[in-house]
Amino acid sequence: MLQDLTYKYYRKLNAKTVYLVLRGGGPEGIETPFISNIINSLTATGSSVFGFNFPYCERGEENSSGEELAEETAALDKVVQFLRSEGYEKIIIVVKPLGGITTSYWLDQHAGEDVDVVVLGGIIGSVKTKALPDKLRLVIQGENDRFGNAEAVKAELNKHNVTADVVEVPKADHSYRNEQKEPVYQDQTVEQLIQKVADL
């Protein structure tokens, strides 16, 4: 079923919850140090963890398949259905940039899906926010994120009646780096993620 995807799957015996980790933007996918750190940290929660690359990453391409993200949403749907077949009671989707946009497009097409969504670095204006009510649980946003800080995210969510916990990482940019582009706030972000998802 998943033979055309690159993925990492930590299957915890008897786990009822699975974290589905998505990253977009660039050809590296889940192999980046930050995403690997997230996946490894989530495995310590006692839940299963699944991360996969969108097909364009495997082709070595920088960008997604197009405006409607048809290839990406199809891949996401395939993985969600696979995880449902594994018997999980709860799916928590943890997303970074394009992963968040893709998830919102997918939810716009599959409004009845019962999932929780956590966004690391919201991209205001590109995400279909109207598809997120009752799904979005947490946003962790850098204070210096080029797409907007926590207050900007809250304003966008309020426009669409979306209620979520929005946490700001002081001095961090969109990738949780400092002004010298050093990833000094990434560990702090992962720690906050682990603390917050424990309550979902």
Side-chain angles (χ1 to χ4, degrees):
M1 182 179 184
L2 302 178
Q3 62 268 22
D4 57 344
L5 293 176
T6 290
Y7 61 87
K8 291 180 181 179
Y9 184 19
Y10 173 75
R11 182 178 178 272
K12 179 69 174 176
L13 189 63
N14 300 321
K16 302 299 183 187
T17 297
V18 60
Y19 291 98
L20 173 52
V21 181
L22 299 179
R23 180 193 183 268
E28 292 178 297
I30 57 174
E31 286 84 9
T32 65
F34 184 44
I35 299 302
S36 291
N37 187 7
I38 290 170
I39 290 173
N40 291 337
S41 298
L42 287 170
T43 62
T45 65
S47 299
S48 295
V49 184
F50 190 104
F52 76 96
N53 286 344
F54 290 121
Y56 78 88
C57 296
E58 293 306 306
R59 295 192 296 266
E61 297 171 4
E62 287 287 336
N63 299 312
S64 60
S65 63
E67 285 185 16
E68 290 305 309
L69 302 176
E71 188 177 54
E72 290 77 17
T73 55
L76 174 55
D77 192 61
K78 183 185 296 185
V79 170
V80 169
Q81 300 319 313
F82 167 75
L83 295 175
R84 295 259 187 248
S85 74
E86 292 282 272
Y88 295 107
E89 295 175 2
K90 184 182 235 181
I91 298 176
I92 301 174
I93 305 177
V94 180
V95 296
K96 187 86 180 75
L98 184 66
I101 299 170
T102 300
T103 300
S104 73
Y105 276 58
W106 174 73
L107 284 171
D108 196 45
Q109 301 163 9
H110 302 85
E113 287 285 356
D114 182 19
V115 296
D116 291 333
V117 180
V118 173
V119 174
L120 302 176
I123 301 180
I124 298 168
S126 297
V127 172
K128 292 194 175 187
T129 312
K130 63 183 177 62
L132 297 177
D134 303 319
K135 313 287 187 193
L136 184 64
R137 302 291 179 236
L138 171 66
V139 180
I140 302 180
Q141 196 79 359
E143 180 184 13
N144 297 327
D145 192 310
R146 68 185 182 276
F147 297 105
N149 61 13
E151 289 305 313
V153 170
K154 290 176 185 175
E156 171 70 8
L157 298 181
N158 287 339
K159 281 195 298 188
H160 298 277
N161 297 312
V162 178
T163 303
D165 188 7
V166 180
V167 177
E168 188 168 81
V169 180
K171 301 180 182 178
D173 69 5
H174 183 65
S175 297
Y176 309 104
R177 302 172 302 185
N178 61 15
E179 292 180 354
Q180 288 73 44
K181 305 299 183 186
E182 299 163 333
V184 295
Y185 304 113
Q186 291 186 355
D187 287 346
Q188 174 187 341
T189 301
V190 174
E191 288 174 12
Q192 290 203 342
L193 170 67
I194 300 304
Q195 290 173 5
K196 292 287 185 179
V197 296
D199 299 326
L200 295 181

